[in-house]
Amino acid sequence: MNQEAIIEIKGLKKSFNGKEVLKNINLTVRKGENVVVLGKSGQGKSVTIKCIAGLLDQDEGDCLVFGREVKEMDDQELKGLRSKLGFLFQGAALYDSMTVRENLAFPLKKVLKIKDRKEIRERSLEVLEAVGLADAIDKMPSDLSGGMRKRLGLARTLIVRPEIMLYDEPTTGLDTITSKEISYLMLEMQKRYKTTSLIITHDIPCAELTADRILVLNEGEIIAEGTYDELYHSDDEFIRSFFK
Amino acid sequence: MGEQGIFLRSFFRNLLREEFEFEEFARQSYTIGFRSIGICALTGFILGIVLTLQSQPTLKEFGAESYIPSMVSVSIIREIGPVIIALICAGKIASSIGAELGSMNVTEQIDAMEVSGANPVSFLVVPRILACTLMIPLLTIFADAMALVGGFTAAALSGDMTIKLYFTKAISSLAFSDVFPAFIKSIMFGFSIGFVGCFIGFNSNKGTESVGLAANSSVVTASIWIIVIDAIVVQVTNSLIYS
């Protein structure tokens, strides 16, 4: 595996209204890797990836993406970074006043500045076919089921061909079968588009299917790291409790 | 106030530096302007009728019934029209913008736009504020015209005023000093309605409750701004015109 670190976080701290959510986060994601951050709800998992995407500023520590400190980037640099980032939000964050087609065209027009309608149509259809939603192109997001919304969210982030994918609870709120489908889809997309992924979840089957490496986050700190099997057979009862 | 100042600066910076979202501006102008025509027309028409019916007995007592067109046109165009239409638009448009952006904030659509590298201020805020600034003065002009029609309808039904006489008197009694400050005022009302709706919606908290709060707060804040701007503009224009 390529050892180039794409995301590097050292001593990350973040507080909200005096409450320390991230106490000391250290993690590295290498090129082509699928890293899962596992943890209970409210432990700061989403805050961590929002710091990586520059949606939140950390209080202390370093958050380096492609070797550059996110906090120190100006607007243009941040825009450049974000064009290489894909972020799948927990609720998919689809633009609900736009059709599926318009949702997909939006990043192409606004981020990649593509004006050619033919190219927009071709790229939209390509990603929709990849996530199995080609028939839904003229539907509104409100007409889609939870699983379809996640698929569309994934298609919208992949359409700009990002180098890094950040997944915030990609399977939350879905039934077991759809969760598995989404997890397989994430793996398939990683192979097809050769992305590096950081996946935030508390869904163990999703972690088992997608992770090359798992980090366990508890009370604002990474307390364990390893493959699924290593953590499954851990000596620490708390770590094992996740997998029961 | 500090946050509003930063938001205002961000609006102007995006307006001047970023690519103008003409398609979104046209869509917002249609939503804000065209879809508010009915309520503004009805309000203006009824205002004209009520003002005429209310003032007719008193003016009749002094034998000044012929002053009805002048009184209606000056009071509607100078003060009542812009303020009432702005207050109605605060209720209809500011609440709608506040709720829409608030809901986009809650469902992380604004974050999604930002993280994709698109500019949410340029796409969501600038077109909405500009559409309000353009459409509310136009709605006010339209409602003012409907108020004159309403005033004529009431005058014609209860007296023997002809349409030609009514409108000649109504228009000839208007001076530049009546029309211009009212127009400036309605532009400022439009800007404040768009600005308040966008600011409150964009900065709402991340909970479903905050969508309702954003809508409610947008109406209240925009209404207060309208009253304050009205007081300031009247004071300033009076001192400029009559000094």
Side-chain angles (χ1 to χ4, degrees):
Chain A
M1 184 172 287
N2 196 323
Q3 294 301 300
E4 185 191 342
I6 297 281
I7 300 171
E8 223 175 340
I9 293 178
K10 291 175 198 162
L12 189 73
K13 290 184 184 178
K14 178 74 187 169
S15 301
F16 292 99
N17 303 321
K19 187 180 181 270
E20 206 171 23
V21 177
L22 300 180
K23 289 176 185 165
N24 181 25
I25 300 288
N26 295 289
L27 70 87
T28 304
V29 182
R30 296 181 192 91
K31 194 172 184 180
E33 237 187 343
N34 264 4
V35 173
V36 168
V37 177
L38 200 64
K40 293 187 291 181
S41 298
Q43 300 298 310
K45 303 189 298 292
S46 298
V47 174
T48 308
I49 55 167
K50 283 186 176 171
C51 288
I52 295 169
L55 287 172
L56 291 172
D57 282 341
Q58 70 264 33
D59 299 335
E60 277 179 53
D62 301 325
C63 181
L64 303 157
V65 184
F66 295 113
R68 292 287 320 276
E69 173 58 65
V70 178
K71 200 179 172 181
E72 287 168 6
M73 289 181 185
D74 61 27
D75 286 352
Q76 281 308 313
E77 286 173 315
L78 206 53
K79 218 172 176 177
L81 167 70
R82 284 168 173 170
S83 67
K84 296 178 189 169
L85 271 184
F87 197 124
L88 181 62
F89 285 84
Q90 198 168 335
L94 302 175
Y95 308 134
D96 49 21
S97 61
M98 301 181 196
T99 63
V100 170
R101 186 193 298 272
E102 289 164 341
N103 261 280
L104 295 171
F106 187 84
L108 294 179
K109 286 180 185 171
K110 306 299 170 199
V111 182
L112 301 185
K113 308 284 179 199
I114 297 173
K115 306 271 184 215
D116 182 22
R117 286 185 181 185
K118 195 179 164 213
E119 190 184 347
I120 291 173
R121 195 173 54 239
E122 279 169 5
R123 282 180 76 159
S124 302
L125 272 173
E126 184 205 319
V127 285
L128 276 182
E129 274 164 13
V131 299
L133 276 181
D135 294 340
I137 191 157
D138 289 316
K139 287 188 174 172
M140 293 301 287
S142 55
D143 299 328
L144 305 178
S145 67
M148 288 164 92
R149 291 174 68 86
K150 284 274 161 84
R151 284 166 183 269
L152 176 58
L154 187 55
R156 194 183 62 189
T157 52
L158 288 170
I159 202 165
V160 292
R161 293 173 189 158
E163 291 177 42
I164 304 173
M165 276 299 298
L166 303 173
Y167 296 93
D168 187 6
E169 307 275 11
T171 57
T172 296
L174 302 176
D175 61 83
T176 322
I177 297 167
T178 315
S179 293
K180 243 180 193 168
E181 281 175 11
I182 295 290
S183 304
Y184 279 121
L185 188 64
M186 285 159 58
L187 273 180
E188 196 188 318
M189 293 302 111
Q190 193 222 2
K191 278 178 198 154
R192 185 190 281 219
Y193 295 102
K194 297 182 175 48
T195 54
T196 302
S197 306
L198 182 62
I199 303 155
I200 301 293
T201 190
H202 55 240
D203 179 13
I204 298 300
C206 171
E208 185 184 2
L209 281 170
T210 56
D212 294 323
R213 200 152 51 89
I214 298 176
L215 308 172
V216 180
L217 194 150
N218 189 46
E219 293 181 358
E221 284 181 273
I222 303 287
I223 56 163
E225 180 179 349
T227 62
Y228 181 85
D229 284 337
E230 283 167 359
L231 295 178
Y232 187 85
H233 297 107
S234 166
D235 296 334
D236 188 326
E237 199 180 328
F238 178 76
I239 304 293
R240 281 201 314 274
S241 71
F242 276 97
F243 300 89
K244 281 176 186 167
Chain B
M1 284 305 276
E3 281 180 14
Q4 291 188 15
I6 293 167
F7 195 73
L8 187 66
R9 198 184 65 179
S10 166
F11 163 74
F12 281 112
R13 204 177 53 193
N14 280 283
L15 174 67
L16 300 172
R17 288 189 194 167
E18 295 290 323
E19 192 183 336
F20 184 62
E21 299 284 350
F22 188 79
E23 212 175 302
E24 183 62 11
F25 169 71
R27 200 172 73 86
Q28 290 303 326
S29 296
Y30 171 79
T31 310
I32 291 164
F34 188 73
R35 290 198 178 164
S36 305
I37 283 179
I39 192 170
C40 291
L42 185 69
T43 308
F45 187 73
I46 292 173
L47 266 180
I49 292 177
V50 171
L51 203 59
T52 304
L53 294 179
Q54 290 274 33
S55 53
Q56 213 169 26
T58 316
L59 290 174
K60 212 171 193 175
E61 228 173 82
F62 294 100
E65 220 179 339
S66 61
Y67 282 99
I68 287 176
S70 311
M71 194 219 65
V72 171
S73 69
V74 170
S75 52
I76 288 283
I77 285 163
R78 229 175 136 158
E79 181 63 26
I80 304 172
V83 172
I84 296 288
I85 294 305
L87 288 172
I88 283 176
C89 288
K92 186 179 182 293
I93 297 162
S95 64
S96 146
I97 293 175
E100 188 186 6
L101 296 190
S103 141
M104 287 185 79
N105 207 2
V106 169
T107 53
E108 296 183 308
Q109 290 176 55
I110 293 177
D111 281 348
M113 222 171 253
E114 200 173 340
V115 88
S116 76
N119 185 335
V121 176
S122 172
F123 185 76
L124 298 171
V125 175
V126 172
R128 279 170 174 79
I129 295 181
L130 286 186
C132 283
T133 311
L134 175 74
M135 296 318 291
I136 285 165
L138 294 180
L139 286 170
T140 304
I141 292 170
F142 180 66
D144 287 351
M146 289 306 293
L148 292 183
V149 173
F152 165 71
T153 309
L157 288 175
S158 56
D160 53 0
M161 186 87 68
T162 65
I163 190 164
K164 193 178 172 190
L165 176 68
Y166 183 89
F167 280 97
T168 308
K169 276 186 157 269
I171 291 164
S172 63
S173 56
L174 288 172
F176 178 76
S177 58
D178 297 318
V179 178
F180 186 69
F183 186 64
I184 296 294
K185 200 156 68 174
S186 64
I187 290 175
M188 292 171 81
F189 291 159
F191 182 84
S192 65
I193 288 168
F195 181 81
V196 167
C198 287
F199 175 75
I200 292 175
F202 212 79
N203 293 292
S204 62
N205 292 327
K206 303 258 181 189
T208 41
E209 189 195 31
S210 59
V211 177
L213 280 174
N216 185 271
S217 178
S218 298
V219 178
V220 174
T221 314
S223 303
I224 293 168
W225 273 61
I226 288 162
I227 305 294
V228 172
I229 289 169
D230 188 40
I232 294 170
V233 172
V234 166
Q235 193 67 33
V236 171
T237 50
N238 276 2
S239 63
L240 287 174
I241 291 164
Y242 301 111
S243 62

